[in-house]
Amino acid sequence: MPHFFHLDGVLHAERTPLSRIAEQFGTPTYVYSKAALLENFDAFADACAGRDALVCYAMKANSNLAILDLLARRGAGFDIVSGGELLRVIAAGGDPAKVIFSGVGKTVDEMRLALSHDILCFNVESIPELHRLNEVAGAMGKQARVSLRVNPNVDAKTHPYIATGLKANKFGVAFDDALATYRTAAGLPHLTPVGIDCHIGSQLLDDAPLLEALDKLIELVDALGAEGIVLDHLDMGGGIGINYGAAGDAPPVPVGDYLGRVFARIDAWRAANYGGAPIKVIFEPGRAIVGDTGVLLTRVEFLKPGAEKNFCIVDAAMNDLMRPALYQAWMDVQQVQAGTQPAVSYDVVGPVCESGDWLARERELSVAQGALLAIMQAGAYGFTMSSNYNTRGRAAEVMVDGDTVHLVRRREDPAELFALESMLK
Ligand code: LLP
């Protein structure tokens, strides 16, 4: 069900007109729909019902405490990539026993923090990381549960910046080295190999590459079992894409269909080789949970017609939403209210001093100065990738629940941005 729609000529989030949010909270503001968030999470949870499965939300996509709290209460676990993210999970009341820790560069301090909270598992990406984790765990008198992130060398067929499962990527342990690396892990006294994981890329519209990766993990689990290294979970990573609404884009595979195919394959394998004994399955979705639950609300500052291009200068910029500048990502732009002007093709740009500061190119808009626009599907990798470039305070974030609007992060005051700095004595 769409949670952002036009009603009486005004774009709404649930039952709240975005124009009201702009008046009350100003712009630019990220606006999230609570109903959309829960619906997306439930698509995963429902497909996992009755199974030993865990949905670990990849919180890098959007780590606002209000979102983490809602998901934690729904039973979500979390995929983290830093000590800071673990502190957020705890601050939001999430359960560290449902946390998995991914990332190629975990520091000693981060390992200590995660071990002190007894997280579910470290997704380890290299041999030096195994040794470091073994030492840290040993010094704390602990045993670290580990999974190896295997790089299955499958082509996720997505933007090169967000493809992670090819040999040329920095991520994971090469498929051909996986067995030897597990032997190393099993030989280290303070590590317990418990799982295997992969993450081949993001914004995948088709699940065929994910199922190909699953087959490779299955092959490894069998080979490890034959050596006495018995794993109790298999983690598929994230990657399921969303519909950004670009013309010609294929629709993403429905979450239920994808999970259904994963479970069917796993069930057939377990029945054939393990007398039907199940294995726990973990998913790490980020974008599929939050991507279409948020928009970036922005106001037109100036219209600047030109010989080659017309510019629609808005108060949001690349520091608020990096995806277009960084990946040439196409994001849908909608007018909050219809305009009376003739439609003109505009590049929607921000005030930052970079030619790369654009949010959308060549869009037909009927707008005047002061009009409100919404950059759609901005719930994932929007706020979390924002910065303070040009000493711009970061946008406010609000969450809509029906006709109630909760401020879930107040707008940053520029004076706060340099409060940590000092001049030479
Ligand atoms: N697990 C791991 C280990 C990951 O690295 C990621 C995302 C995920 C799970 C979640 O992937 P998702 O389900 O969201 O596709 N900033 C980029 C996307 C970067 C994804 C990084 N890793 C963008 O805006 O498109």
Side-chain angles (χ1 to χ4, degrees):
M1 185 188 146
H3 298 283
F4 294 90
F5 49 86
H6 277 93
L7 182 69
D8 300 329
V10 186
L11 185 60
H12 280 61
E14 301 191 20
R15 295 200 308 277
T16 306
L18 293 184
S19 46
R20 196 180 100 201
I21 295 176
E23 264 164 45
Q24 198 179 342
F25 298 96
T27 51
T29 291
Y30 276 97
V31 181
Y32 308 124
S33 154
K34 179 185 168 192
L37 175 74
L38 297 182
E39 194 174 286
N40 288 345
F41 181 76
D42 288 351
F44 280 89
D46 293 349
C48 293
R51 292 182 167 272
D52 187 7
L54 183 63
V55 181
C56 288
Y57 167 57
M59 62 185 279
K60 62 170 81 69
N62 190 325
S63 55
N64 185 283
L65 293 188
I67 288 176
L68 304 185
D69 169 46
L70 288 167
L71 295 177
R73 285 199 249 167
R74 216 70 165 190
F78 297 95
D79 168 41
I80 64 166
V81 288
S82 70
E85 287 193 341
L86 178 55
L87 295 175
R88 273 184 183 273
V89 170
I90 294 164
D95 182 359
K98 290 184 182 171
V99 166
I100 52 175
F101 193 167
S102 302
V104 294
K106 301 174 192 81
T107 66
V108 167
D109 285 348
E110 288 176 323
M111 289 176 175
R112 265 196 213 117
L113 179 71
L115 283 165
S116 72
H117 287 283
D118 273 325
I119 65 162
L120 178 61
C121 186
F122 289 84
N123 287 355
V124 173
E125 305 219 15
S126 66
I127 292 180
E129 186 187 337
L130 284 176
H131 287 290
R132 176 180 285 180
L133 183 58
N134 179 59
E135 271 169 37
V136 174
M140 293 173 75
K142 294 221 173 218
Q143 203 63 18
R145 287 175 289 273
V146 299
S147 162
L148 288 188
R149 174 169 178 180
V150 174
N151 187 335
N153 199 30
V154 301
D155 185 353
K157 300 190 176 63
T158 185
H159 192 286
Y161 288 7
I162 50 180
T164 48
L166 286 169
K167 274 187 187 164
N169 297 123
K170 72 177 176 183
F171 299 102
V173 173
F175 183 82
D176 295 338
D177 301 334
L179 285 181
T181 311
Y182 269 102
R183 284 181 207 122
T184 303
L188 292 169
H190 305 291
L191 302 185
T192 311
V194 293
I196 187 162
D197 66 283
C198 69
H199 171 77
I200 59 171
S202 197
Q203 185 53 12
L204 276 64
L205 298 175
D206 179 11
D207 59 359
L210 290 159
L211 296 172
E212 202 185 314
L214 170 59
D215 285 341
K216 294 201 142 188
L217 296 192
I218 285 176
E219 195 183 315
L220 284 176
V221 175
D222 285 344
L224 288 165
E227 296 192 15
I229 301 175
V230 178
L231 303 182
D232 52 43
H233 81 244
L234 189 155
D235 172 351
M236 293 292 299
I240 289 296
I242 61 163
N243 192 350
Y244 280 101
D249 267 10
V253 57
V255 163
D257 293 6
Y258 161 55
L259 266 63
R261 284 192 271 271
V262 168
F263 289 132
R265 218 169 262 218
I266 288 180
D267 288 350
W269 160 56
R270 301 303 289 185
N273 295 8
Y274 299 87
I279 186 166
K280 185 187 187 82
V281 184
I282 296 178
F283 298 95
E284 305 171 2
R287 190 187 323 258
I289 304 269
V290 288
D292 65 2
T293 68
V295 305
L296 175 58
L297 183 59
T298 181
R299 197 179 282 282
V300 177
E301 294 286 351
F302 301 108
L303 296 172
K304 190 174 172 187
E308 281 190 27
K309 289 225 166 222
N310 300 307
F311 294 101
C312 173
I313 304 170
V314 297
D315 62 5
M318 64 186 289
N319 75 295
D320 299 300
L321 182 61
M322 290 260 291
R323 302 194 68 255
L326 197 54
Y327 315 116
Q328 292 80 51
W330 191 96
M331 312 277 294
D332 188 23
V333 179
Q334 291 202 15
Q335 297 185 203
V336 172
Q337 278 154 312
T340 49
Q341 303 70 18
V344 174
S345 174
Y346 285 108
D347 278 13
V348 180
V349 302
V352 162
C353 305
E354 301 261 357
S355 297
D357 179 28
W358 58 277
L359 297 171
R361 284 181 167 153
E362 290 168 15
R363 303 302 166 85
E364 294 285 319
L365 297 170
S366 154
V367 283
Q369 201 167 307
L372 290 170
L373 297 176
I375 318 290
M376 308 302 290
Q377 288 89 30
Y381 308 107
F383 188 89
T384 47
M385 291 176 70
S386 65
S387 78
N388 293 122
Y389 189 37
N390 283 198
T391 305
R392 287 168 53 86
R394 268 174 296 188
E397 293 176 285
V398 302
M399 183 172 290
V400 173
D401 181 8
D403 55 11
T404 307
V405 184
H406 303 273
L407 180 64
V408 295
R409 192 179 202 273
R410 70 172 165 79
R411 185 176 307 287
E412 278 176 358
D413 171 357
E416 293 171 308
L417 305 184
F418 49 85
L420 302 180
E421 299 168 26
S422 42
M423 289 172 273
L424 300 189
K425 293 247 159 46

